[in-house]
Amino acid sequence: QVQLVESGGGSVQAGGSLRLSCVGSGSIAVGSRRCMAWFRQAPGNEREWVAGISSRGITTYADSVKGRFTLSQDNAENTLYLQMNSLKVEDTAMYYCAASSFGWCTSIRNGYYLWGQGTQVTVSS
């Protein structure tokens, strides 16, 4: 079964850090000829793009997380990571890992065909 499984979410105080992981299983290969990305969705809000890494290893970030979040991947472990530092209350959301059919990344939700179940991140003041 092809799937993405996220982990690493939790509750943290503002200014703290968390590292999210996304493991691909089945025939999905993290980082192989496809863009992998993280999205997030807070209650009452649309799902928004957070960061992506292209098939060439180029990372891009939403302005709201630039300088605080770092995306990386371990192809041997078939795992995508999102290191989140200097967390803010407004970072509170369910975070989703997603795979695109394309090597380049888009911030558009419809550009991704495979999604994980999400992992909750809660940042308190």
Side-chain angles (χ1 to χ4, degrees), residues 60-97:
T60 49
Y61 300 90
D63 287 344
S64 59
V65 306
K66 200 171 295 183
R68 300 187 297 121
F69 290 12
T70 303
L71 189 59
S72 62
Q73 62 189 26
D74 183 332
N75 293 343
E77 296 295 326
N78 211 26
T79 303
L80 182 72
Y81 299 102
L82 183 68
Q83 177 66 43
M84 306 187 297
N85 298 329
S86 302
L87 282 161
K88 303 177 180 180
V89 172
E90 51 264 42
D91 294 318
T92 295
M94 184 73 78
Y95 283 70
Y96 298 90
C97 176

Side-chain angles (χ1 to χ4, degrees), residues 9 19 41 50 52 75 82 95 106-107 114:
R19 188 176 80 156
Q41 187 168 16
V50 175
N75 293 343
L82 183 68
Y95 283 70
T106 176
S107 61
L114 182 66

